[in-house]
Amino acid sequence: MKRKSQARSSSVSRAGSLSALSLGHGKRTRLFDLLYGHGPANGTLMVLPLDQGLEHGPSDFFPNPAALDTDFQFRLAVAGRFSAIALGVGLAEKYLRDYAGRVPLILKLNGKTNIPDDAEAVSPAFASVEDAVRLGADAVGYTVYVGSPRQDVEIREYGKVRQDCERLGMPLVVWAYPRGRGIEAKGGKGTLFAQDYAARVAEELGADVVKLHEPAPDPGASPEPYRSLREDAASRLRRVVRSAGKVMVLFSGGAKQDDDDAVLKKVKLYMECGATGVMFGRNMWLREYDAALALTRRVHAIMHRFAR
Amino acid sequence: MKRKSQARSSSVSRAGSLSALSLGHGKRTRLFDLLYGHGPANGTLMVLPLDQGLEHGPSDFFPNPAALDTDFQFRLAVAGRFSAIALGVGLAEKYLRDYAGRVPLILKLNGKTNIPDDAEAVSPAFASVEDAVRLGADAVGYTVYVGSPRQDVEIREYGKVRQDCERLGMPLVVWAYPRGRGIEAKGGKGTLFAQDYAARVAEELGADVVKLHEPAPDPGASPEPYRSLREDAASRLRRVVRSAGKVMVLFSGGAKQDDDDAVLKKVKLYMECGATGVMFGRNMWLREYDAALALTRRVHAIMHRFAR
Amino acid sequence: MKRKSQARSSSVSRAGSLSALSLGHGKRTRLFDLLYGHGPANGTLMVLPLDQGLEHGPSDFFPNPAALDTDFQFRLAVAGRFSAIALGVGLAEKYLRDYAGRVPLILKLNGKTNIPDDAEAVSPAFASVEDAVRLGADAVGYTVYVGSPRQDVEIREYGKVRQDCERLGMPLVVWAYPRGRGIEAKGGKGTLFAQDYAARVAEELGADVVKLHEPAPDPGASPEPYRSLREDAASRLRRVVRSAGKVMVLFSGGAKQDDDDAVLKKVKLYMECGATGVMFGRNMWLREYDAALALTRRVHAIMHRFAR
Amino acid sequence: MKRKSQARSSSVSRAGSLSALSLGHGKRTRLFDLLYGHGPANGTLMVLPLDQGLEHGPSDFFPNPAALDTDFQFRLAVAGRFSAIALGVGLAEKYLRDYAGRVPLILKLNGKTNIPDDAEAVSPAFASVEDAVRLGADAVGYTVYVGSPRQDVEIREYGKVRQDCERLGMPLVVWAYPRGRGIEAKGGKGTLFAQDYAARVAEELGADVVKLHEPAPDPGASPEPYRSLREDAASRLRRVVRSAGKVMVLFSGGAKQDDDDAVLKKVKLYMECGATGVMFGRNMWLREYDAALALTRRVHAIMHRFAR
Amino acid sequence: MKRKSQARSSSVSRAGSLSALSLGHGKRTRLFDLLYGHGPANGTLMVLPLDQGLEHGPSDFFPNPAALDTDFQFRLAVAGRFSAIALGVGLAEKYLRDYAGRVPLILKLNGKTNIPDDAEAVSPAFASVEDAVRLGADAVGYTVYVGSPRQDVEIREYGKVRQDCERLGMPLVVWAYPRGRGIEAKGGKGTLFAQDYAARVAEELGADVVKLHEPAPDPGASPEPYRSLREDAASRLRRVVRSAGKVMVLFSGGAKQDDDDAVLKKVKLYMECGATGVMFGRNMWLREYDAALALTRRVHAIMHRFAR
C-alpha cells in the first residue's frame, strides 16, 4: 500500500492526462486509480488483456500451456505491477478473489468467437456496467467493430453502455477495431486509413481510452488521401494518436514476438508517438512466467520516462 | 453578456420565427436562445457542425490539420459568434467545458461511418435526449435517412427521440438526408425530387428545424412531375423551403469551396429563398483560423439583412 | 357551439352506430364526438386525411400548390364541417393551435415514404397514443399492411398500439391496406379479394373504424372463390362492408377526379352500400378552396340522408 | 345456472383431467370452469374456434354467408353448449357483451394472414394475457409454428406469454402447428412425424391444452422411424396423444365435411383415442344454424360417454 | 433425509469443487446441494437430462416407449439417486410435484426443434430464472450454440440470463454446443477444436458448470494447431477439462449404447480425465427401468472413487 500512497501524493501535481478532461467524479476517481494508483503510476498505462480465449479459442495458449490457467495472468499482472488486467466476467468471477485490490480490473463486457467470418462482425455484450460496479472494476472494456455492415447494432448497443458508464461513473475503454466487408474492400483492418478512422470514431462516440493497433502502410485499396500518403511508422502512429484527440490511446501488441528487444522497441516507439500506454497480451503471457516478469520490468523502465 | 441582453430585449417584439409555432415552454425557451440569444440573434441561424470525423473519417481534416483538434471549431464558434455548434457526445464531453455558456450546443445523437455503402443506410443513436439535457444543450440533432430500405428502423427510432424531446422540452433538428438504393434508382440524393421529399418528411415527422442540401437540377431518373420541371436554383430552393412548411430550414454547405465570395453568394441565395439559416462546416473550419473568422464576419453581415 | 349542442341532444336517441358496440367510456365519448358532435353529426363520418406528403411526397400537391400549406386543409376541415382531420404529429403540432376545438383530430401514428418499393412494406410508428391524448385527439390512425411478408412486425406493433388505445380510451382507425409481394402475386392491392380480406383483418384485429379502398373486379390472379365471382360495384362494396362486421367502414377517394359529380356519385354509392362515411383527401384539397368548400356542402347533403 | 351447479357438484369426485396436474389456483379454477362448468361438463371439451377470417380470409365463409356475422358463432356456442368459443380480441370486444357468462372465452392472442407463403411462418401477438383477464376469459390461445425457420422468434415470444399466464393464472391452449420450409422438406405439416413432434413440443413448452390435427400416414419424406411405421388412424392418434403427455389434446376438424355422420365418426374416434375433446370450427359453423345445432347435440351425446 | 444429512456433515471438510470458487451465497448453497446433498454427494455430479423430446422429437423414445412418460425419468432420477434431473418448464410443471424435494431440478430455459437445419442455429428461451426460483430449482440450464453465425443473439440473450442468475443466486449450467455453418466448415461440432473452444467459451462467459461432448479426433478441416495434433482420447478429454478452467465439466453420453460396460467405461474415463460428472440421458432412460436402475448403481460405484 505504501507504493500506492506515494504514487498518489506525488502525482497530485502532475495528473496531466486527467486535468485536460472534463470528467464526473466517479470516472475521475477510477481513472486516477488506473493512471496514478497502479502500474507505472505516472500517468501511463500498462494493461494486461485476456480475452483471447473467447475471441480466438484456446489455440492461442498452445505456445505456453501454463497461460491457460488464468491464475497465470493474474499473478503476472500483480507481480509485474500492471495498471490493470482486462478480462470478461467469467474469468473475473472465477479468479479475481485472490487478487482483488492488488490489480485493477477492466471488465470487458462484450465479445464473440472467430468461428463465423468477420464480414458482418458484431460483438454482443454478455455483462453490464452494473457487473463492473459489483466486481469493483475501475473501467469497462467494449469492442466496437468500426465500419461493419452491422454498425447500427454495434453503435446502438455501445450507446447504451456509454450511458450506463456516465450514470455509474465508470471509465469506458473502447477496443476500436475496424472490421467487416467494407473495411476489407478498402484495404483491410490494419491500414492507416482504418486505424485512423477508428481512432476518430472512438473520440466522437465518447470513449475515455481507446485500444488501437499500430497502423500499417496503406496498400493500394485504401481511399484517398491515405492511398497516396507516404509516412513512416512513427508518423503513422502520431497521426492516429492525434485523430483520437483527448482520448487516451493504448496500442496493442498483436501476435507474439519472441524477441524481447523487438517488443520493447515497439513499446518505446508507441510512447514516443504519444500513446498513453500499451495493452500487450500474448507478448506478455505467452512467455515463461519469469521471462514475462523480466520483460514487464523493462517495460516499466520505458514507461517511467513518459510520465505525464 | 451585454450583447446577449440587448439581443434579447430587442428581439422580444420581433420573435417572428417562433410566434408562428405552437411550442411547449422548454422548446420555446431553448429555440429563443438559439434564434435571439446567440449568433446573429435576429431570428436567423448560423450553425457550425462537426460530425464529419465520424461520418467521413479524419480524411476530411487533411486540408486543415489544425481542425482535427476540436478546440479549433469551438474557438471559431465562439469568436465567430455562431448560433450553435453541432456535434456528438464524445466531442461535447471532451471539449465543451472551456466554452460552456459561450456558444449553444446542438447535441447530435446519432451517426455512422461511411465504410459500408449506403444502399441500406441507417443511423444509430449513441446518445440520448437525457444526455443533451445533462450537457445543457439547446437542441438535439438527429439524422433521418429518408427513403432508405430500412426506413422503418429509422423512423421508429426517430419517433422515440421525438417523444423524448417533447417530454423534455428539447428542440429537434433533423438532418433529413435522402439515402439508399431506392433514392439512387430515382436520381440520387441531391435532386430536387429527393430534397423536396425530405423537406416534407421532416415537417410531417415533427422536426423543429431541418437541415437540407441545396437541391440540384433533376436528372432523367427522377419521378414526375420533377423530371419535367425546369426551375432555376432559386426556385428550387424556394420550393423545398415551402415544402418544409413551418419547419425552419438550414442549408448545408457541402464540400469545401476555396472562394469566399462563392460561399457568401450561396449564403445570400439561401437566405433570400427563405432559409432560416445555414449549417456550414467544412466551408468554415477547413479555412485557416483567421480566414475562417473573417468569413464568419461577412456571413453575419448577410444574416443581419434577414432579421425576422 | 350551438350546432354541436343541438347535434348532441338530437342524437342521443339515435346513436345507432355506437349502441351496437361494447365500448369503454373513453372510446365511447370520443367516438360520439366524431359521429354526433361534428361533421354531419348524424352517425356518419366525413374525414379529411393529410398524410400524402409523407406517403407520396410533395408531388401530390403540384396540382394545387396552395394545399402544400397545411392551413389550407385545416381551414377547409373547419369551414367544410368535416367530422375530423387525420394527420401526423408534425402537422398537428405545427398547425392545430389555431383550429383546436373547431375540428376533431385523428392523429395518424405511423407512416413511411414510397421511395423503397412495397414488396416488404412495413409502416413504422413515429408517434404514440400518449401523443394523441396530449394533443386532445378524438382517435388515432394506424396503417396495417395486410399480407406483407413482414406482417409479423406490422401486427405485433399494431397490437401494442391497440392495447394503448384500450388503456387510454382512444378509438382506433385502421388504414387496412393490402400490400406486399404476396398480394401482388394474388392480383394486387385493389382487388375484391384483397379488400375483403383487409376488412375482415381489421375486425379480427380490433379496429373501431377501418379505411378501405373501393374494391376492383378481380383479375385472373385472385384466389378462388373470388376469381370466379362476377359482382357489380355495389355488390362488391356491400361485401367488404359485411366482412368488416361491426367495424365502421370509411372508403377512401383515391386519386383526384376533376368531375364533382363523379366524386359525389362515389360518395352516394359508398353510403348506400353501408359505409359509415368517407375519407377523401386529394379529391377535396386538390380543388381550389372555394370549389372544395362547395363540394363539401354537396357531400353533406348526401350524408344527411344516411343518418343512423 | 342449475346445470352448471349440478355439473360442478357432481364433478368434484371425478375431476380426473385436473387432479393429475400441478396447477396454481387461477389456472385450476379456470380449467375447472371449462371442463366441468360448461359444455359437456364431464371433463371433456368442445371448443368452437373462429380465427379463420384472419388466418384464411373471408373466403372461408362463402359456403355459409350467415357465419360472416360473428353473432352466428356466439349463438351457436351458447345454444350448442360449447365448452368455450375461441377467437381474437377484435371479435371478442365487438360481440362478447351479449353472451358474456353464457359461454367461456378462449382469447386467441396471435395470428396472421395466409397471403405470404408459410416457408418462414411466424405468428405475431396482437393481444395480451392482460386483455384476456380484462375480458373475463377462461384461457388464452396461442399458435406456435413448430419447426419454422423462425422458431426462435416463435418460441421466445411464446415464452413471454407462458410466463404471463403463470403470473395471472390463465390456462394456455397451444395451437401446435408444424410449419415452414423444414417441415415441407420432411413430408409436410400433416404427417404423423410432424404432429407427433408438435404434441411433444407443446408438452415441453408448458401448454395446458394443445390443439393438433389428425395425423396422416407418413409419405416417403418423413424421417425414420416414422417413414417405416405402418399404423392405422387410431394408432396414430393414440401415439400423438401419448406424446402430449399430461397436456390435454383437442383435435381440430379441418376443412368442412358435408356428411354429419363422417364428422361424428371423427369425434368418436378422437375421443376413443384419448383426446380430451375437439375444436371443430368450419365443420360446425359452415352448416345452416339448425343443422349445426342438431350436430352439436349429437357431439354432446358422444362426449357424455367419455366422462373423466 | 438421513443420507443427505450424513453427506452434508461429511462433506464439510472436503467441499473441494466449491472452495476454489468465489460464489455468492445463493449459488454456493444451491451448488452445495447438488454436489454434496444429492447424487453421489461427494463433489461429483450425475445429471439425468430430458430435453430430447423438444430437441429431437419423440423419435428418441421409440427404443423405449415407456420413457415417453416423464414419470419414468423422474422415478429413475429418484431411485437412481441422481444429483439432479434437467428438463424444461413444461415437464417440470407437469411432473415435478410428486418428486419435489427428492431430486434436485436443473431447469433448462431454452431449446428448439431440429426441424430447420443448424446452419444458423439459435436457441430461444421459453422460461426464466424467475421460473427456476419459483419451481425450487437448484440450477438453470442454458444452451449456447458456440460459433453460430447468429452468436450475437445467442451471447446477448445468454448474458441477460447470466445476470439474472447472479441476481437470484442461481447456478448456471451451460450446454456449450459448437454449431452452425462456420463450425461445419472447420471440421464439425464433434472435433477437439470445437469442443476445446466451447469449453473455454463457457468459462469466459461465466458458466458455473458446462456440458460438453467427448471430443473426437480432428479431421483435416480443423484449424491449426488442432489439425496436426495427435492425441489419444484421454489426452483430448483432459485438454478440454483444462480449457474449461474452474468451470465444472459434465460430459454427455450421446446416442444410446446397448453395452453397459461400454457406457461405464466412458464414465470412468471421463472422471479420470478430470470431469466433475456426467450428464447421460438416452444411455440411461432408453434402457428398461430395472436395467437402467442397475446401471446407475454401477455409475455410483465409479463416482465414489472420485470424491473431491
Side-chain angles (χ1 to χ4, degrees):
Chain A
M1 283 290 97
K2 187 143 166 279
R3 187 187 58 73
K4 199 165 159 182
S5 304
Q6 282 183 330
R8 277 202 167 132
S9 60
S10 70
S11 63
V12 166
S13 59
R14 60 180 160 81
S17 302
L18 287 178
S19 64
L21 296 170
S22 173
L23 294 161
H25 208 70
K27 277 200 178 189
R28 182 171 293 270
T29 301
R30 289 189 171 100
L31 277 176
F32 193 95
D33 195 46
L34 289 173
L35 288 162
Y36 299 104
H38 293 84
N42 65 346
T44 64
L45 291 171
M46 281 169 60
V47 178
L48 190 68
L50 180 62
D51 58 353
Q52 292 82 353
L54 172 58
E55 300 288 341
H56 310 150
S59 59
D60 267 27
F61 303 105
F62 272 62
N64 183 24
L68 193 60
D69 178 349
T70 301
D71 274 318
F72 186 95
Q73 284 86 356
F74 265 102
R75 282 193 297 134
L76 182 60
V78 171
R81 290 191 296 121
F82 276 84
S83 308
I85 189 167
L87 32 67
V89 71
L91 301 180
E93 290 185 341
K94 294 267 182 317
Y95 295 91
L96 183 62
R97 196 179 52 168
D98 296 338
Y99 308 96
R102 296 164 67 197
V103 60
L105 171 66
I106 297 173
L107 189 70
K108 185 85 193 308
L109 302 186
N110 63 346
K112 63 164 192 61
T113 76
N114 67 1
I115 294 171
D117 72 34
D118 270 353
E120 306 204 343
V122 63
S123 185
F126 54 94
S128 66
V129 184
E130 280 79 4
D131 282 314
V133 171
R134 176 173 58 84
L135 291 166
D138 265 357
V140 296
Y142 199 90
T143 298
V144 174
Y145 286 128
V146 175
S148 166
R150 297 184 62 197
Q151 63 179 330
D152 66 309
V153 173
E154 288 284 294
I155 293 175
R156 197 179 294 120
E157 294 189 354
Y158 163 84
K160 288 176 194 148
V161 167
R162 190 197 59 69
Q163 291 179 69
D164 285 342
C165 284
E166 198 60 47
R167 189 168 49 84
L168 295 169
M170 187 63 69
L172 175 43
V173 184
V174 170
W175 274 236
Y177 281 9
R179 206 60 56 96
R181 195 182 295 125
I183 279 289
E184 288 313 305
K186 290 176 178 167
K189 63 190 179 186
T191 67
L192 176 60
F193 159 71
Q195 294 296 323
D196 202 31
Y197 205 148
R200 180 74 186 193
V201 166
E203 187 182 33
E204 300 223 7
L205 294 187
D208 296 301
V209 181
V210 63
K211 183 190 180 193
L212 296 169
H213 288 83
E214 181 181 340
D218 280 287
S222 284
E224 290 292 1
Y226 294 94
R227 197 189 310 170
S228 308
L229 222 55
R230 296 292 172 266
E231 296 186 329
D232 63 12
S235 300
R236 292 193 302 266
L237 285 161
R238 282 196 187 94
R239 181 177 287 282
V240 302
V241 169
R242 269 199 314 273
S243 288
K246 289 191 185 175
V247 181
M248 290 177 264
V249 176
L250 307 182
F251 283 105
S252 75
K256 191 204 164 190
Q257 284 181 289
D258 290 326
D259 179 2
D260 277 17
D261 289 334
V263 172
L264 293 164
K265 199 173 150 191
K266 285 210 299 190
V267 173
K268 185 161 162 287
L269 175 62
Y270 297 167
M271 296 306 293
E272 285 170 351
C273 293
T276 295
V278 291
M279 199 190 293
F280 282 28
R282 285 169 286 172
N283 270 302
M284 293 292 159
W285 47 252
L286 283 185
R287 284 170 157 75
E288 298 283 321
Y289 186 81
D290 291 339
L293 199 56
L295 181 58
T296 64
R297 290 199 190 106
R298 296 179 67 190
V299 175
H300 270 283
I302 296 172
M303 301 311 257
H304 286 168
R305 292 158 42 198
F306 292 92
R308 49 174 72 192
Chain B
M1 284 291 98
K2 188 142 164 280
R3 186 188 57 73
K4 198 167 161 183
S5 306
Q6 282 183 331
R8 278 202 166 133
S9 60
S10 69
S11 63
V12 167
S13 58
R14 59 178 162 83
S17 301
L18 286 179
S19 63
L21 297 171
S22 173
L23 294 162
H25 209 70
K27 277 200 177 189
R28 182 171 293 268
T29 301
R30 289 189 172 100
L31 277 175
F32 193 96
D33 195 46
L34 290 173
L35 288 162
Y36 300 104
H38 293 84
N42 65 345
T44 65
L45 291 171
M46 283 169 59
V47 179
L48 190 68
L50 180 62
D51 58 354
Q52 292 83 351
L54 172 59
E55 300 288 341
H56 310 151
S59 59
D60 267 28
F61 303 105
F62 271 63
N64 183 23
L68 192 61
D69 178 349
T70 301
D71 275 318
F72 186 95
Q73 283 86 356
F74 266 102
R75 282 193 297 133
L76 181 60
V78 170
R81 291 191 295 121
F82 276 84
S83 308
I85 188 167
L87 33 66
V89 70
L91 301 180
E93 289 186 340
K94 294 268 182 316
Y95 297 89
L96 183 61
R97 195 178 55 168
D98 296 339
Y99 308 95
R102 296 164 67 196
V103 61
L105 170 67
I106 297 174
L107 188 70
K108 185 86 191 309
L109 302 186
N110 62 346
K112 63 164 191 62
T113 76
N114 67 0
I115 295 170
D117 73 33
D118 270 354
E120 306 204 343
V122 62
S123 185
F126 54 94
S128 66
V129 183
E130 280 79 4
D131 281 313
V133 171
R134 176 173 58 86
L135 291 166
D138 265 358
V140 296
Y142 199 89
T143 297
V144 174
Y145 286 129
V146 175
S148 166
R150 297 185 63 197
Q151 64 179 328
D152 65 309
V153 173
E154 288 283 295
I155 293 175
R156 197 178 294 121
E157 295 188 356
Y158 163 84
K160 288 177 193 145
V161 168
R162 190 196 59 70
Q163 289 179 69
D164 284 342
C165 285
E166 197 60 47
R167 189 167 49 84
L168 295 169
M170 187 64 69
L172 174 44
V173 184
V174 170
W175 274 235
Y177 281 9
R179 206 61 54 96
R181 195 182 295 126
I183 278 289
E184 288 313 304
K186 289 174 179 169
K189 63 191 179 184
T191 67
L192 176 59
F193 159 71
Q195 294 295 323
D196 202 31
Y197 204 148
R200 179 75 187 193
V201 165
E203 187 183 33
E204 299 225 5
L205 293 187
D208 296 301
V209 181
V210 64
K211 183 190 181 193
L212 296 168
H213 287 83
E214 181 182 339
D218 280 287
S222 283
E224 290 292 0
Y226 295 94
R227 198 189 310 169
S228 309
L229 222 54
R230 297 291 172 268
E231 296 186 328
D232 64 11
S235 300
R236 292 192 303 266
L237 284 161
R238 283 196 186 93
R239 181 176 288 282
V240 302
V241 170
R242 268 198 316 273
S243 289
K246 290 191 183 173
V247 181
M248 290 177 264
V249 177
L250 308 181
F251 283 105
S252 76
K256 191 204 166 191
Q257 284 181 289
D258 290 327
D259 179 0
D260 278 18
D261 290 333
V263 172
L264 293 164
K265 199 172 150 191
K266 285 210 299 191
V267 173
K268 186 162 162 286
L269 175 63
Y270 297 167
M271 297 306 293
E272 284 170 352
C273 293
T276 296
V278 292
M279 199 190 294
F280 281 28
R282 285 169 286 173
N283 270 302
M284 294 291 160
W285 48 251
L286 282 185
R287 284 172 157 74
E288 298 283 321
Y289 185 80
D290 291 339
L293 198 56
L295 181 57
T296 64
R297 289 197 191 108
R298 297 179 67 191
V299 175
H300 270 281
I302 296 173
M303 300 312 257
H304 285 167
R305 293 159 41 199
F306 293 92
R308 48 176 71 191
Chain C
M1 284 292 98
K2 189 145 162 280
R3 186 189 57 74
K4 197 167 160 181
S5 305
Q6 282 183 330
R8 276 201 168 136
S9 60
S10 69
S11 63
V12 166
S13 58
R14 58 178 162 81
S17 301
L18 286 179
S19 64
L21 296 171
S22 173
L23 294 161
H25 208 72
K27 278 199 177 188
R28 183 171 292 268
T29 301
R30 289 189 172 99
L31 277 175
F32 194 96
D33 195 47
L34 290 173
L35 288 162
Y36 300 102
H38 293 84
N42 65 345
T44 65
L45 292 170
M46 282 170 59
V47 178
L48 190 68
L50 180 62
D51 57 355
Q52 291 83 352
L54 172 58
E55 301 287 341
H56 309 152
S59 59
D60 267 28
F61 303 104
F62 273 62
N64 183 22
L68 192 60
D69 178 349
T70 301
D71 274 318
F72 185 95
Q73 284 86 356
F74 266 102
R75 282 193 298 133
L76 181 59
V78 170
R81 291 192 296 120
F82 277 84
S83 308
I85 190 167
L87 33 65
V89 71
L91 301 180
E93 290 186 340
K94 295 267 181 318
Y95 297 89
L96 183 61
R97 194 178 54 167
D98 296 338
Y99 308 95
R102 297 164 67 196
V103 61
L105 171 66
I106 297 174
L107 189 70
K108 184 84 192 309
L109 303 185
N110 63 346
K112 62 165 193 63
T113 76
N114 67 1
I115 295 170
D117 72 34
D118 270 353
E120 306 203 343
V122 62
S123 184
F126 54 93
S128 66
V129 183
E130 280 79 5
D131 281 314
V133 172
R134 176 172 58 84
L135 292 166
D138 265 357
V140 296
Y142 199 90
T143 298
V144 174
Y145 286 128
V146 175
S148 167
R150 297 185 63 197
Q151 63 178 329
D152 66 308
V153 173
E154 289 283 294
I155 294 175
R156 197 178 294 120
E157 295 188 355
Y158 163 83
K160 287 176 193 146
V161 168
R162 190 198 58 70
Q163 290 179 69
D164 284 342
C165 285
E166 197 60 47
R167 190 166 50 83
L168 295 168
M170 187 63 70
L172 174 45
V173 184
V174 171
W175 275 234
Y177 282 8
R179 207 61 54 96
R181 195 182 296 125
I183 278 290
E184 289 313 305
K186 291 176 177 168
K189 64 191 178 184
T191 67
L192 176 60
F193 159 71
Q195 294 296 323
D196 203 29
Y197 205 149
R200 179 75 187 193
V201 165
E203 187 183 34
E204 300 225 5
L205 293 186
D208 295 302
V209 181
V210 63
K211 183 191 181 193
L212 296 169
H213 287 83
E214 181 182 339
D218 280 288
S222 283
E224 290 291 2
Y226 295 93
R227 198 189 310 169
S228 308
L229 224 53
R230 296 292 172 267
E231 297 186 328
D232 63 12
S235 300
R236 292 194 301 267
L237 285 161
R238 285 198 184 92
R239 180 177 288 283
V240 302
V241 170
R242 268 200 313 274
S243 288
K246 290 191 184 173
V247 181
M248 291 177 264
V249 177
L250 308 181
F251 284 106
S252 76
K256 191 205 166 190
Q257 285 181 288
D258 290 326
D259 179 1
D260 278 17
D261 289 333
V263 172
L264 293 164
K265 201 174 150 191
K266 285 211 299 190
V267 173
K268 188 162 160 285
L269 175 64
Y270 297 168
M271 297 307 293
E272 285 170 351
C273 293
T276 296
V278 293
M279 198 189 295
F280 281 29
R282 286 169 285 173
N283 271 302
M284 294 292 159
W285 47 252
L286 283 185
R287 283 170 157 75
E288 298 283 321
Y289 185 80
D290 291 339
L293 198 55
L295 181 57
T296 64
R297 290 199 190 106
R298 297 180 68 192
V299 175
H300 270 281
I302 296 174
M303 299 313 256
H304 285 169
R305 293 159 42 198
F306 294 92
R308 49 176 70 192
Chain D
M1 284 289 99
K2 189 142 163 280
R3 186 188 57 75
K4 199 167 159 182
S5 305
Q6 281 183 329
R8 277 203 168 134
S9 59
S10 68
S11 63
V12 167
S13 57
R14 59 178 161 82
S17 302
L18 286 179
S19 64
L21 296 171
S22 173
L23 294 161
H25 208 71
K27 278 200 176 189
R28 182 171 292 269
T29 301
R30 289 188 172 100
L31 277 174
F32 193 96
D33 195 47
L34 290 173
L35 288 162
Y36 299 103
H38 293 83
N42 64 346
T44 64
L45 291 170
M46 282 169 59
V47 178
L48 190 69
L50 180 61
D51 57 354
Q52 291 83 352
L54 173 58
E55 300 287 341
H56 310 151
S59 59
D60 267 27
F61 303 104
F62 273 61
N64 183 23
L68 193 60
D69 177 349
T70 302
D71 274 318
F72 186 94
Q73 284 86 354
F74 266 101
R75 282 193 298 131
L76 181 60
V78 170
R81 290 192 294 120
F82 277 84
S83 308
I85 190 167
L87 33 66
V89 71
L91 301 181
E93 291 186 340
K94 294 268 181 317
Y95 297 89
L96 183 60
R97 196 179 51 166
D98 295 339
Y99 308 95
R102 296 164 68 196
V103 60
L105 171 67
I106 297 174
L107 188 71
K108 185 83 193 310
L109 303 186
N110 63 346
K112 62 164 193 61
T113 76
N114 67 1
I115 295 171
D117 72 34
D118 271 352
E120 307 203 343
V122 62
S123 185
F126 54 93
S128 66
V129 183
E130 280 79 5
D131 282 313
V133 172
R134 176 173 59 83
L135 292 166
D138 265 356
V140 296
Y142 199 90
T143 297
V144 175
Y145 286 129
V146 175
S148 167
R150 296 185 63 197
Q151 63 179 329
D152 66 308
V153 173
E154 289 283 295
I155 293 176
R156 197 178 294 119
E157 294 188 355
Y158 163 83
K160 287 175 192 147
V161 168
R162 191 198 57 71
Q163 290 179 69
D164 284 342
C165 285
E166 196 60 47
R167 191 166 49 82
L168 295 168
M170 187 63 71
L172 175 45
V173 184
V174 171
W175 273 237
Y177 281 9
R179 208 59 57 95
R181 195 182 296 125
I183 279 288
E184 289 312 305
K186 290 175 179 170
K189 64 191 179 185
T191 67
L192 177 59
F193 159 72
Q195 294 295 323
D196 203 29
Y197 205 149
R200 180 74 187 192
V201 165
E203 187 183 32
E204 300 225 5
L205 294 187
D208 296 302
V209 181
V210 63
K211 183 191 181 192
L212 296 169
H213 287 83
E214 181 182 337
D218 280 288
S222 283
E224 290 291 2
Y226 295 93
R227 197 190 310 169
S228 308
L229 223 53
R230 297 291 173 266
E231 296 186 328
D232 63 11
S235 300
R236 292 194 301 267
L237 285 162
R238 284 198 185 93
R239 180 176 288 282
V240 302
V241 170
R242 268 199 314 273
S243 288
K246 290 191 183 173
V247 181
M248 290 178 265
V249 176
L250 307 181
F251 284 105
S252 75
K256 191 205 166 191
Q257 284 181 287
D258 289 326
D259 178 1
D260 278 17
D261 290 333
V263 172
L264 293 165
K265 201 172 147 190
K266 285 211 299 191
V267 173
K268 186 161 159 285
L269 176 63
Y270 297 167
M271 296 307 293
E272 284 171 351
C273 293
T276 295
V278 292
M279 198 190 295
F280 281 29
R282 285 168 287 173
N283 270 302
M284 294 292 159
W285 48 251
L286 283 186
R287 283 169 157 75
E288 298 283 321
Y289 185 80
D290 291 340
L293 198 57
L295 182 58
T296 64
R297 291 201 188 105
R298 295 180 68 190
V299 175
H300 270 281
I302 296 173
M303 301 312 257
H304 285 169
R305 292 159 41 198
F306 293 93
R308 49 175 73 190
Chain E
M1 283 288 98
K2 186 141 165 280
R3 186 187 57 75
K4 199 165 160 184
S5 305
Q6 282 183 328
R8 278 202 166 132
S9 60
S10 70
S11 63
V12 165
S13 57
R14 59 179 161 82
S17 301
L18 286 178
S19 64
L21 296 170
S22 173
L23 294 162
H25 207 69
K27 277 201 176 188
R28 182 170 293 269
T29 302
R30 289 189 170 100
L31 276 175
F32 194 95
D33 195 46
L34 290 173
L35 288 162
Y36 299 103
H38 293 84
N42 65 346
T44 64
L45 291 171
M46 282 169 60
V47 178
L48 190 68
L50 180 61
D51 57 355
Q52 291 83 352
L54 173 58
E55 300 288 341
H56 310 151
S59 59
D60 267 27
F61 303 105
F62 273 61
N64 183 23
L68 192 60
D69 177 350
T70 301
D71 274 317
F72 186 95
Q73 284 86 354
F74 266 102
R75 281 193 297 132
L76 182 60
V78 170
R81 291 192 294 122
F82 276 84
S83 308
I85 190 167
L87 32 67
V89 71
L91 301 180
E93 290 186 340
K94 293 268 182 318
Y95 296 89
L96 183 61
R97 196 180 51 168
D98 296 338
Y99 308 95
R102 295 164 68 196
V103 60
L105 171 66
I106 297 174
L107 188 72
K108 185 85 193 308
L109 302 185
N110 63 346
K112 62 164 193 60
T113 76
N114 67 1
I115 295 170
D117 72 34
D118 271 353
E120 306 204 344
V122 62
S123 185
F126 54 93
S128 66
V129 183
E130 280 78 6
D131 281 314
V133 171
R134 176 173 59 84
L135 291 166
D138 265 358
V140 296
Y142 200 90
T143 297
V144 175
Y145 286 129
V146 175
S148 166
R150 297 185 62 198
Q151 62 179 329
D152 66 308
V153 173
E154 288 283 295
I155 293 176
R156 197 178 295 120
E157 294 188 356
Y158 163 84
K160 287 176 193 147
V161 167
R162 190 197 58 71
Q163 290 179 69
D164 285 341
C165 284
E166 197 60 47
R167 191 168 49 82
L168 295 169
M170 187 63 71
L172 175 44
V173 184
V174 171
W175 274 236
Y177 282 8
R179 207 59 56 96
R181 195 181 295 124
I183 278 288
E184 288 312 306
K186 290 176 180 168
K189 64 191 178 184
T191 67
L192 177 59
F193 159 71
Q195 294 296 322
D196 203 30
Y197 205 148
R200 180 75 187 193
V201 166
E203 187 183 32
E204 300 225 5
L205 293 187
D208 296 301
V209 181
V210 63
K211 184 190 180 193
L212 296 169
H213 287 84
E214 181 182 338
D218 279 287
S222 284
E224 290 293 1
Y226 294 95
R227 197 190 309 170
S228 308
L229 222 54
R230 296 292 172 267
E231 295 186 329
D232 62 11
S235 301
R236 293 193 301 267
L237 285 162
R238 283 197 185 93
R239 181 176 287 282
V240 302
V241 170
R242 269 200 313 274
S243 289
K246 289 191 185 175
V247 181
M248 290 178 265
V249 177
L250 307 182
F251 283 106
S252 76
K256 192 205 165 190
Q257 284 181 290
D258 290 326
D259 178 1
D260 277 18
D261 290 333
V263 172
L264 292 164
K265 200 173 148 190
K266 286 210 298 191
V267 173
K268 186 161 160 285
L269 176 63
Y270 297 169
M271 296 306 294
E272 284 171 351
C273 293
T276 295
V278 292
M279 199 190 293
F280 281 29
R282 285 169 287 173
N283 271 301
M284 294 292 159
W285 48 252
L286 283 185
R287 284 171 157 75
E288 298 282 322
Y289 185 80
D290 291 339
L293 198 57
L295 181 57
T296 64
R297 291 200 189 105
R298 295 180 69 189
V299 175
H300 270 282
I302 295 173
M303 300 312 256
H304 286 169
R305 290 158 44 197
F306 293 93
R308 50 176 71 192

